Amino acid sequence: MKFTTSREALLRPLALVTGVVERRQTLPVLSNLLINATTDGLSLTGTDLEVELVARRSAGVSVESEGQTTIPARKLADIWRSLPDKAEVSVTVDGDKAVVRSGRSRFTLATLPASDFPNVEQETGDVSIDVPLKDAQRLLKQTSFAMAQQDVRYFLNGLLLEITGEHIRAVATDGHRLAMCTLEGGAPGVDRIRAIVPRKGVLELSRLISDGDEPVTLIMGRNHLQASQGDYSLTTKLVDGQFPDYDNVIPQHTTQSLTGDRDSLRQAFHRAAILSNEKYRGIRLIIDSEQMMIRANNPEQEEAEEVVAVDYAGEPLEIGFNVSYLQDVLNVLGASDVRLSLSDANSSALIEAPSEDDSLYVVMPMKL
């Protein structure tokens, strides 16, 4: 196998595909990329047996002799990244060695047989939908931050993707907060289909669709989700579990609400968080007559106090929250104003942007 290309032609494909590869592997071949060179061009595949990413390149790639092999992913990516801009690079595979040449540089890498490389199990999809790029990016950006990390309730370590005939919805929760984004434009004829996409699959998909302008094609099956955009195709196994009924989590009948400037609130929370307890991150909100006081303290007896003007006409209220959860919500909302609705000091807060009706957030209170 031999092919020649430019550094730039494979820079992004190598970075994306290598991102799927775990640093610690039980199978040596999983540390490698499967590289397949044909007359049609080049394909690079990386997998950890849960997520598989395939990148294809034909433009700017000259294949002199066909073949396939596996090459250490991170070593190849590091070499490629360290080469000079616009460098011409050739890769030649002979036996169990791959030689990378560029200018006066030469690197010899050990390979493993392509026959040892596993493939993520493929299946036919139950539903296929084309999602505009900006919609796909928004679904992930508005919700993915609320996914759990290494929770024993494994079904929380991912993102619920729901497709109906009218909408596509993403929901994430870690048990303490919930984020939901609903966009119009579902799959015609589909009643409702749901899938829990694992955390790593969500993060890799976010990286994949961060560039370009082509729509994202989602093909959802019983056990797998495939997302394709342009020359890239990502396949991830789905989490086998029952996602919580999010409708029961969203407050339906709140009695009090306040509206404030998002940027002012975000900066005030940021400053107060500096002196909050580093472990629990708790702050106290004292809401009364057109203003909200934010108080934080820590075991060193240090205190922070901020006062922010808000539009509020309800009864005086005092409630505690994890400040990080509030900051995360304000960081993804793009509107100038936010509305916080609740019933009492023991009820969850519903956070929305009046001008952005496609997203909503629920944050549970803390006892301080």
Side-chain angles (χ1 to χ4, degrees):
M1 183 181 85
K2 183 177 181 180
F3 65 87
T4 304
T5 185
S6 66
R7 172 183 179 269
E8 281 68 27
L10 291 189
L11 195 59
R12 183 169 187 263
L14 270 175
L16 287 172
V17 175
T18 301
V20 175
V21 178
E22 293 288 351
R23 291 187 179 275
R24 295 180 180 178
Q25 295 287 2
T26 52
L27 293 173
V29 75
L30 291 178
S31 298
N32 287 15
L33 297 182
L34 174 66
I35 300 182
N36 188 18
T38 68
T39 53
D40 295 328
L42 204 64
S43 72
L44 313 173
T45 305
T47 184
D48 65 352
L49 297 181
E50 296 292 327
V51 179
E52 177 187 85
L53 181 59
V54 181
R56 300 173 182 83
R57 273 288 182 269
S58 55
V61 178
S62 173
V63 177
E64 296 180 34
S65 59
E66 298 181 347
Q68 59 178 4
T69 190
T70 76
I71 299 178
R74 285 195 161 75
K75 291 176 183 176
L76 182 61
D78 288 345
I79 289 170
W80 215 271
R81 192 165 48 247
S82 66
L83 292 172
D85 291 345
K86 300 180 181 179
E88 288 293 314
V89 193
S90 71
V91 178
T92 306
V93 177
D94 187 9
D96 61 355
K97 300 292 183 184
V99 179
V100 181
R101 290 186 176 89
S102 179
R104 297 185 177 183
S105 302
R106 180 176 177 273
F107 309 89
T108 302
L109 298 170
T111 67
L112 289 172
S115 57
D116 293 348
F117 195 84
N119 288 317
V120 172
E121 178 187 356
Q122 298 293 324
E123 63 176 340
T124 57
D126 297 326
V127 62
S128 176
I129 180 174
D130 288 333
V131 183
L133 178 64
K134 290 191 179 299
D135 284 356
Q137 290 172 333
R138 182 164 180 79
L139 281 171
L140 299 184
K141 178 190 173 187
Q142 299 297 110
T143 58
S144 61
F145 69 87
M147 293 186 296
Q149 298 188 50
Q150 298 180 331
D151 197 298
V152 292
R153 297 164 294 180
Y154 59 92
F155 48 83
L156 298 183
N157 301 316
L159 183 86
L160 176 70
L161 199 60
E162 178 182 286
I163 299 174
T164 70
E166 293 76 37
H167 69 249
I168 177 169
R169 173 177 291 161
V171 186
T173 180
D174 61 5
H176 303 286
R177 54 180 171 173
L178 178 141
M180 184 170 83
C181 181
T182 306
L183 300 178
E184 295 180 357
V190 173
D191 181 27
R192 185 172 75 166
I193 185 169
R194 288 177 156 193
I196 305 175
V197 186
R199 180 181 180 85
K200 181 171 181 179
V202 173
L203 298 179
E204 293 302 328
L205 180 57
S206 298
R207 293 176 64 227
L208 175 63
I209 64 175
S210 64
D211 196 12
D213 54 10
E214 297 153 301
V216 180
T217 300
L218 300 178
I219 302 175
M220 194 183 295
R222 191 171 63 179
N223 299 312
H224 291 80
L225 171 74
Q226 185 179 80
S228 302
Q229 185 200 28
D231 294 329
Y232 300 93
S233 178
L234 182 143
T235 304
T236 175
K237 289 184 178 180
L238 299 175
V239 177
D240 183 14
Q242 185 68 37
F243 199 82
D245 186 354
Y246 55 81
D247 285 330
N248 290 335
V249 177
I250 300 170
Q252 302 295 331
H253 305 290
T254 55
T255 57
Q256 305 183 77
S257 69
L258 67 86
T259 304
D261 178 72
R262 182 188 70 92
D263 202 45
S264 298
L265 289 169
R266 188 169 60 88
Q267 292 183 32
F269 286 143
H270 174 73
R271 291 191 294 266
I274 296 170
L275 296 186
S276 66
N277 186 308
E278 292 184 6
K279 183 177 181 181
Y280 300 107
R281 305 287 287 167
I283 61 166
R284 191 183 305 275
L285 306 185
I286 303 166
I287 311 164
D288 186 13
S289 182
E290 303 296 312
Q291 73 173 28
M292 180 170 70
M293 183 180 293
I294 305 166
R295 286 181 177 168
N297 56 57
N298 58 35
E300 289 77 37
Q301 305 300 314
E302 298 168 327
E303 296 182 351
E305 184 175 292
E306 292 277 342
V307 177
V308 182
V310 294
D311 184 6
Y312 179 73
E315 294 294 319
L317 183 65
E318 190 170 325
I319 188 169
F321 287 108
N322 181 316
V323 67
S324 296
Y325 296 165
L326 299 178
Q327 288 177 293
D328 286 344
V329 172
L330 296 183
N331 285 337
V332 297
L333 287 174
S336 58
D337 292 333
V338 295
R339 181 173 60 239
L340 187 148
S341 307
L342 39 74
S343 295
D344 54 53
N346 298 313
S347 65
S348 297
L350 176 65
I351 306 176
E352 303 167 282
S355 60
E356 294 179 3
D357 60 359
D358 61 4
S359 303
L360 62 82
Y361 304 90
V362 179
V363 180
M364 292 179 64
M366 283 182 71
K367 288 187 178 181
L368 299 175

